[in-house]
Amino acid sequence: MRKQIAAANWKMNLTLQQGEQLLEDIISLPHQLNENQEAVFAVPAPYLMMAQQKLRGKEYLSVAAQNCYSKKSGAYTGEISVDMLSSIGVYYVVLGHSERREYFNESNSFLADKINICLLNNITPIFCCGEPLEIREAGTQNEYVAKQLQESLYHLNADQLLKIVIAYEPIWAIGTGKTASSAQAQEMHAAIRKQLESKYGKETAECISILYGGSVKGSNAAEIFVQPDVDGGLVGGASLVAEEFVAIMNALKK
Ligand code: 13P
């Protein structure tokens, strides 16, 4: 069975003290993750080590960075390298979030470079894709997402692809309170898996975890996660509230 993942994306929110408190609250609330499930916390870069320390030794709880750069090292002021992440024991990074694509002009080919350096350094990318509202309204969302996957991932071989987690986040559902229906989520996740199957074969496609993101909350997580091709969620706003995020963790498929 594919790994089921509840990933928290704190984005640019919380002070250090608030972040510490949130992690402590989450740890202290009852949650039941098993060896096939994981909760991943994508915290702001200055809090990565704090989060690592808080979660050390806690089963099935991991830390992720929200971004990294495509170069190994050098004169790139303000950027974070994969070596920096692995040197503090961080092995997940969110890549290609729609906010980075929109505000920082990250293109599919730039993201392909970031994917490559992550894989070379044993860091698992959580690769985000998803369409804006006008594409959804035009009904061309499958083609749009297919192009994102083709241009950022299709240079990989099957073994490399198996190290990637995909997060489908329709932009019109992010931070809007407007969730894709569970049927819309399932439809797109199945389309992504079919597309991966046509390139990499069924066996590989069946092993890739595909998370849904966009206004996931404690109250709607279970109906979305129960869909056969949805393997958990990437959560913004609701990941900042301990009870909400723990409810989301507990809604993962068993
Ligand atoms: P919201 O859960 O706030 O809609 O954000 C989703 C998201 O962008 C997670 O990466």
Side-chain angles (χ1 to χ4, degrees), residues 9 11 97-99 128 169 173-176 213-216 234-238:
N9 178 6
K11 309 191 180 184
H97 193 281
S98 60
E99 289 147 16
C128 304
E169 299 202 309
I174 295 179
T176 57
S215 299
V216 175
L234 179 57
V235 186

Side-chain angles (χ1 to χ4, degrees), residues 166-195:
I166 293 176
Y168 167 62
E169 299 202 309
I171 298 172
W172 46 272
I174 295 179
T176 57
K178 193 169 187 271
T179 323
S181 68
S182 48
Q184 282 173 320
Q186 168 56 25
E187 195 180 41
M188 176 58 86
H189 284 227
I192 291 173
R193 205 176 300 287
K194 260 259 150 324
Q195 208 210 325

Side-chain angles (χ1 to χ4, degrees), residues 5-11 13 40-42 66 94 97 99 126 128 167-169 174-175 211-218 220-221 224-225 232-241 244-249 252:
I5 300 172
N9 178 6
W10 290 5
K11 309 191 180 184
N13 291 299
V40 178
F41 296 85
Q66 294 181 10
V94 176
H97 193 281
E99 289 147 16
I126 301 175
C128 304
Y168 167 62
E169 299 202 309
I174 295 179
L211 317 184
Y212 168 78
S215 299
V216 175
K217 306 186 278 278
N220 62 19
I224 300 172
F225 295 172
L234 179 57
V235 186
S239 76
L240 303 174
V241 180
E244 281 288 313
F245 192 66
V246 169
I248 292 166
M249 286 160 61
L252 289 173

Side-chain angles (χ1 to χ4, degrees), residues 28-180:
S28 69
L29 286 166
H31 51 81
Q32 321 107 19
L33 297 183
N34 65 33
E35 68 281 350
N36 198 42
Q37 301 172 324
E38 195 166 3
V40 178
F41 296 85
V43 306
Y47 311 160
L48 284 167
M49 291 185 69
M50 173 281 287
Q52 279 289 85
Q53 276 155 14
K54 285 263 176 252
L55 301 183
R56 183 162 299 144
K58 303 278 184 299
E59 268 189 323
Y60 319 129
L61 304 181
S62 316
V63 178
Q66 294 181 10
N67 186 27
C68 70
Y69 199 45
S70 57
K71 305 283 187 204
K72 185 94 179 136
S73 65
Y76 302 104
T77 303
E79 292 297 326
I80 299 169
S81 74
V82 288
D83 284 345
M84 293 174 190
L85 296 180
S86 39
S87 72
I88 59 167
V90 169
Y91 292 104
Y92 276 108
V93 64
V94 176
L95 288 183
H97 193 281
S98 60
E99 289 147 16
R100 295 217 55 90
R101 293 174 186 265
E102 181 178 352
Y103 305 130
F104 303 97
N105 296 321
E106 295 197 1
S107 66
N108 292 337
S109 68
F110 182 47
L111 292 168
D113 291 341
K114 291 189 179 200
I115 295 272
N116 290 344
I117 198 153
C118 284
L119 294 181
L120 274 174
N121 291 275
N122 292 320
I123 292 188
T124 298
I126 301 175
F127 176 76
C128 304
C129 56
E131 79 286 356
L133 184 60
E134 61 271 21
I135 296 289
R136 171 65 63 163
E137 285 174 347
T140 52
Q141 65 273 9
N142 287 11
E143 293 79 358
Y144 186 92
V145 170
K147 187 166 187 289
Q148 291 179 318
L149 301 179
Q150 271 155 18
E151 295 186 0
S152 295
L153 301 183
Y154 276 23
H155 61 286
L156 303 175
N157 64 34
D159 285 344
Q160 292 169 318
L161 189 83
L162 286 168
K163 303 202 172 100
I164 305 245
V165 173
I166 293 176
Y168 167 62
E169 299 202 309
I171 298 172
W172 46 272
I174 295 179
T176 57
K178 193 169 187 271
T179 323

